[in-house]
Amino acid sequence: MKIVIFGGSFDPWTSAHQEIVERLAANYDKVLVVPTTVRYYKVNKQMFSFNERFEMACKKTEAIKNVQVCDIERSVDDNWRFIDTLKKVIELKGTENQFYVAIGSDSLQKFKTWAEWEKILELSKLVVFNRPGYTDNFPDIPYEYLPMENNISSTALRQKIIQIMSEEEFEDLLDEDWLLKGQKNLTEE
């Protein structure tokens, strides 16, 4: 079975995350969506708790049969790295499967800084989706390419939300459809 791991902060879940999951689900047998606890390379404040991000991912993917949202990183400490997640998934799902790791071209640029990046490549194959402003041409790192049409960034969305409304106003808008339908206008201004 081809199992792809798609980890991220998902803070918040965006229509780009939705597109990635749908494309992965169409091309792989199983998609494991893994909200992260350790915010690798992120310095800005988290908007949603782990539980809220986990629930958003569950709600947005519940209709896709071969997608599972995993809470592997719910209780990890700051020393946890993606290699630990990958090893845990392999332990749980079995070594007879083929494992893939879905990352954006922004993460691909930093991939060689990941803990045990060479081991990640031994245990899995990379699937890279394009991100605006980043190149994805790394001939020394093998990967499959997943073209994207929707490139809404959670980081840009959070920054825009902070600029235009108070926390109370934002909380009033949080219903299950707003995160996917209303965000495009926020990020296009």
Side-chain angles (χ1 to χ4, degrees):
M1 181 182 321
K2 291 183 173 183
I3 300 174
V4 63
I5 303 166
F6 177 42
S9 62
F10 309 122
D11 190 22
W13 185 268
T14 68
S15 53
H17 295 135
Q18 193 71 25
E19 180 184 348
I20 292 165
V21 168
E22 289 170 2
R23 285 177 183 248
L24 292 171
N27 290 288
Y28 297 90
D29 300 313
K30 185 78 163 174
V31 179
L32 301 179
V33 175
V34 181
T36 59
T37 300
V38 179
R39 296 174 56 82
Y40 314 103
Y41 304 106
K42 305 265 180 167
V43 293
N44 53 351
K45 187 179 172 209
Q46 169 174 312
M47 186 172 276
F48 295 98
S49 71
F50 179 89
N51 289 339
E52 291 167 324
R53 293 180 291 116
F54 181 84
E55 288 304 316
M56 273 190 272
C58 287
K59 283 181 185 176
K60 297 303 180 184
T61 62
E62 67 187 354
I64 309 170
K65 294 193 184 316
N66 61 334
V67 174
Q68 176 185 354
V69 181
C70 302
D71 66 352
I72 285 174
E73 293 199 16
R74 180 184 300 273
S75 302
V76 301
D77 63 26
D78 287 343
N79 295 317
W80 188 268
R81 295 294 176 256
F82 179 76
I83 186 65
D84 302 312
T85 299
L86 178 58
K87 287 177 179 177
K88 187 67 172 174
V89 167
I90 292 170
E91 175 188 321
L92 294 171
K93 298 296 182 183
T95 57
E96 69 278 3
N97 296 299
Q98 292 179 308
F99 294 92
Y100 297 79
V101 177
I103 62 173
S105 51
D106 54 337
S107 293
L108 180 63
Q109 286 192 337
K110 299 173 186 168
F111 186 71
K112 287 187 176 180
T113 68
W114 290 25
E116 299 186 53
W117 67 271
E118 289 136 330
K119 187 69 172 173
I120 293 170
L121 292 177
E122 285 176 30
L123 297 173
S124 65
K125 296 178 182 177
L126 293 183
V127 178
V128 177
F129 50 89
N130 58 300
R131 294 291 307 258
Y134 293 93
T135 182
D136 52 342
N137 185 13
F138 289 85
D140 61 330
I141 300 175
Y143 61 90
E144 296 177 14
Y145 185 70
L146 181 71
M148 296 289 302
E149 293 185 24
N150 185 341
N151 277 302
I152 293 174
S153 160
S154 290
T155 301
L157 180 59
R158 278 193 308 276
Q159 291 168 347
K160 194 62 148 177
I161 289 168
I162 290 166
Q163 289 174 357
I164 63 172
M165 64 180 61
S166 70
E167 190 172 323
E168 295 81 24
E169 291 171 317
F170 176 69
E171 287 179 11
D172 289 342
L173 290 176
L174 287 182
D175 64 49
E176 125 177 24
D177 292 327
W178 181 82
L179 285 172
L180 285 177
K181 292 181 182 169
Q183 66 195 349
K184 191 162 190 165
N185 294 335
L186 290 174
T187 58
E188 289 180 342
E189 293 178 1

